[in-house]
Amino acid sequence: MAFYFDEPSRTFNEYLLVPGHTPADCVPAAVSLKTPLVKYRKGQEECPLTLNVPMVSAIMAAVSDDKMAVALATEGGLSFIYGNQSIEDEAAMVARVKDYKAGFVTSDANLSPEMTLADVVELHEKFGHSTMPVTADGSAHGKLLGIVTERDYRLSRMSLDERVADFMTPREKLVVAQDGTTLKVANDIIWDHKLNSLPIVDANDCLVALVFRKDYDSHKSNPDEMLDAHKRYMVGAGINSRDYAERVPALVNAGADVLCIDSSEGYSDWQKLTIQWVREHYGDAVKIGAGNVVDAEGFRFLAEAGADFVKIGIGGGSICITRETKGIGRGQATATIEVAKARDEYFRETGIYVPICSDGGIVYDHHISLALAMGADFVMLGRYFARFDESPSAKVMVNGTYMKEYWGEGSARARNWGRYDLGGKKSLSFEEGVDSYVPYAGSLKDNMAITLLKLKSTMCNCGALTIPEFQDKAKLTLVSATSIVEGGAHDVLLKDKAPYASNTR
Ligand code: RVP
């Protein structure tokens, strides 16, 4: 006979937190949002990988590329670069994050000496930069021959076909610094010589990067940034349970700090085999999360298989229609509460604490507080991050309002893209996600500052200065039963209703 869960499955919207006593020293500025990312023997050792804020960005092409990863790591969270692309492209994205040095900019508008003033004007219009390096081959890392800034030309007096070589500031007149120069020293040079930018060159006089005057203070204002032992930004990467024997080594070589098996349903032998393969080849040196699951049984299966963290959530994502198409899933709050209990039980039995991540269905900022209060160690968000400047998707005007495109990994759009990039065969399939718009919301930094302040304020209302204390002290109350809302596409404007409707009814 089939098994029935006694209680209806519930969403975050059906819960509220009841405030606890707030001691006088419990203020947002004193709150720490540090949280474990991977399993460890709690009480006996330090967690080898912790997040400085409990937010990670979803393994989705519309959300997590290298630009998002740098922006989020700067604020203390972590991105998982999307896996629905070729192994080479994904590894290149990871490598770009690891190579990124705050303040050291690789120019995207570069000139060669044969180019003309017309090219300068065109590049200026395209990229908006007023400083363009001139290299022998016109590439970002070619031999440095000079620099063109707005001070080098006057459109009213010069002909558009004048050659860059004739009006650039040539190499011999430039102040440069050698590769390996610290940002602090680079900035001292900038100030001493009254420069606007400083080219960094290697031993062969090839351009490595540019440092601009304005970037100096960025490190100081990001106290939470996620850095590895070599002071490089940290980044995660999504993998699948098919091509891991090729993809994992490429991502590890590129410098990925943690991997995650990306699947809408994780309680499977495929995930176990993937984790086993990683353990056989890398032992515990490579950290790997698994998921998604929505109950205690699924959690225990993945914990016993050796997952470093377990992700929770089926069908709660804003662009996800898995519950409607396949009839599987569970309200995100109920799933989180049950898995958190299973995690604690597993810890009591084994001494190993396996962090859990609540993935999908975060609509309001306060849902993050609820997920953590229910026991999640961190949350994964797609829609939230897709709205920002840093997401890879296009910003478009829809009915007079700026929107960003946001599509599910199970949508026709993602499947098409994956098929083209990977050369896979077209097989019979159906959609589990939609293509949508989300309202454009500006920069990640500004939005996260508000979100995290709200989280810290809520924690203080509950008398908690750390996430474990919050989980311990939180008092949750049910408010209603509206979980049905979470099951369909929600909080997005559907671009095309027809295929969605025909796919689900
Ligand atoms: P949300 O933050 O509510 O937008 O949800 C993001 C999550 O939705 C992802 O991390 C993933 O688990 C899930 N997802 C991604 N694509 C799809 C789909 O096409 N069904 N679902």
Side-chain angles (χ1 to χ4, degrees):
M1 196 190 130
F3 177 80
Y4 288 88
F5 287 90
D6 291 337
E7 294 287 322
S9 74
R10 299 184 186 279
T11 73
F12 293 130
N13 262 347
E14 294 175 77
Y15 286 90
L16 284 175
L17 279 154
V18 176
H21 170 244
T22 307
D25 61 353
C26 194
V27 291
V31 170
S32 162
L33 294 178
K34 269 192 186 304
T35 193
L37 176 62
V38 295
K39 71 180 177 195
Y40 68 114
R41 293 188 172 275
K42 193 159 111 175
Q44 297 173 47
E45 62 178 14
E46 289 282 301
C47 178
L49 220 50
T50 54
L51 293 166
N52 290 334
V53 305
M55 293 166 74
V56 301
S57 69
I59 313 171
M60 299 173 72
V63 181
S64 298
D65 67 351
D66 46 314
K67 193 168 163 198
M68 174 62 70
V70 168
L72 183 49
T74 306
E75 302 309 315
L78 191 92
S79 286
F80 284 88
I81 302 286
Y82 65 96
N84 186 18
Q85 57 180 329
S86 74
I87 293 172
E88 296 72 34
D89 288 351
E90 189 181 6
M93 279 192 183
V94 169
R96 281 204 291 278
V97 179
K98 301 310 288 186
D99 287 345
Y100 184 90
K101 281 208 233 152
F104 290 81
V105 177
T106 297
S107 176
D108 44 12
N110 302 286
L111 300 165
S112 68
E114 302 79 35
M115 288 167 95
T116 62
L117 181 55
D119 295 315
V120 173
V121 172
E122 195 186 318
L123 283 174
H124 179 65
E125 272 170 15
K126 186 170 171 200
F127 294 103
H129 308 322
S130 48
T131 300
M132 296 176 212
V134 185
T135 58
D137 62 358
S139 74
H141 300 297
K143 195 168 176 60
L144 185 65
L145 299 182
I147 264 196
V148 170
T149 72
E150 278 168 325
R151 278 185 266 169
D152 293 311
Y153 59 89
R154 279 178 86 176
L155 289 174
S156 57
R157 297 229 181 139
M158 288 164 62
S159 139
L160 281 176
D161 54 17
E162 254 186 72
R163 287 172 69 242
V164 163
D166 297 330
F167 62 87
M168 69 184 185
T169 301
R171 167 70 183 87
E172 58 272 19
K173 290 204 178 150
L174 294 177
V175 178
V176 302
Q178 290 301 310
D179 194 12
T181 304
T182 64
L183 192 56
K184 163 103 183 57
V185 170
N187 230 260
D188 289 345
I189 298 172
I190 286 174
W191 282 93
D192 290 348
H193 294 268
K194 296 189 165 72
L195 307 172
N196 277 322
S197 67
L198 176 73
I200 308 292
V201 294
D202 66 14
N204 299 318
D205 219 32
C206 288
L207 183 63
V208 175
L210 292 172
V211 177
F212 291 91
R213 181 194 281 260
K214 60 178 187 296
D215 282 325
Y216 176 52
D217 279 334
S218 77
H219 176 76
K220 280 193 195 152
S221 59
N222 300 313
D224 284 331
E225 58 190 0
M226 287 283 295
L227 299 174
D228 66 17
H230 305 287
K231 301 257 178 275
R232 301 176 305 180
Y233 281 120
M234 295 182 73
V235 63
I239 62 165
N240 60 66
S241 51
R242 293 181 305 277
D243 65 10
Y244 50 83
E246 293 87 42
R247 195 173 288 268
V248 170
L251 296 172
V252 170
N253 290 340
D257 295 282
V258 54
L259 306 175
C260 184
I261 311 172
D262 182 28
S263 166
S264 64
E265 207 283 280
Y267 186 3
S268 76
D269 281 346
W270 311 118
Q271 299 236 341
K272 190 175 171 177
L273 291 169
T274 307
I275 298 168
Q276 267 171 8
W277 188 92
V278 167
R279 293 288 173 250
E280 272 162 27
H281 290 79
Y282 297 96
D284 285 335
V286 167
K287 306 295 180 195
I288 176 170
N292 285 7
V293 299
V294 286
D295 71 353
E297 226 178 89
F299 168 83
R300 184 162 279 263
F301 177 82
L302 291 177
E304 284 174 352
D308 282 295
F309 66 87
V310 172
K311 214 143 64 66
I312 309 157
I314 296 179
S318 58
I319 35 50
C320 185
I321 52 170
T322 293
R323 293 185 200 167
E324 290 180 344
T325 50
K326 295 205 300 199
I328 66 158
R330 201 173 194 196
Q332 190 64 15
T334 301
T336 303
I337 293 166
E338 184 176 316
V339 174
K341 277 189 192 143
R343 184 239 1 240
D344 292 344
E345 210 173 286
Y346 187 76
F347 171 62
R348 279 193 296 275
E349 275 174 35
T350 63
I352 299 170
Y353 187 87
V354 181
I356 54 172
C357 168
S358 179
D359 172 18
I362 300 281
V363 178
Y364 302 110
D365 286 345
H366 80 264
H367 287 171
I368 300 176
S369 308
L370 287 170
L372 297 172
M374 289 168 184
D377 295 284
F378 57 102
V379 293
M380 177 173 270
L381 309 96
R383 194 192 68 96
Y384 177 88
F385 288 112
R387 300 171 304 146
F388 302 151
D389 288 318
E390 293 82 357
S391 77
S393 70
K395 179 177 155 190
V396 288
M397 182 74 87
V398 181
N399 298 332
T401 310
Y402 274 122
M403 297 275 178
K404 293 275 284 190
E405 293 190 314
Y406 179 45
W407 61 95
E409 285 297 305
S411 67
R413 178 169 179 173
R415 282 170 187 235
N416 281 339
W417 193 354
R419 189 154 54 231
Y420 284 123
D421 276 357
L422 299 169
K425 262 189 170 173
K426 185 171 164 42
S427 58
L428 193 61
S429 63
F430 54 88
E431 291 169 57
E432 290 188 48
V434 297
D435 190 1
S436 70
Y437 296 118
V438 287
Y440 166 66
S443 81
L444 176 143
K445 190 180 187 68
D446 292 348
N447 282 277
M448 268 186 77
I450 298 287
T451 300
L452 294 177
L453 180 60
K454 285 185 198 166
L455 169 59
K456 288 177 181 177
S457 304
T458 305
M459 287 171 63
C460 289
N461 292 148
C462 298
L465 284 169
T466 65
I467 290 173
E469 204 181 344
F470 186 40
Q471 291 166 338
D472 201 37
K473 289 188 170 173
K475 292 182 283 180
L476 289 142
T477 185
L478 270 172
V479 288
S480 70
T482 54
S483 67
I484 198 104
V485 176
E486 198 180 69
H490 61 87
D491 298 282
V492 295
L493 295 178
L494 287 181
K495 279 185 186 172
D496 190 356
K497 285 202 168 74
Y500 170 59
S502 65
N503 190 29
T504 55
R505 305 208 206 302

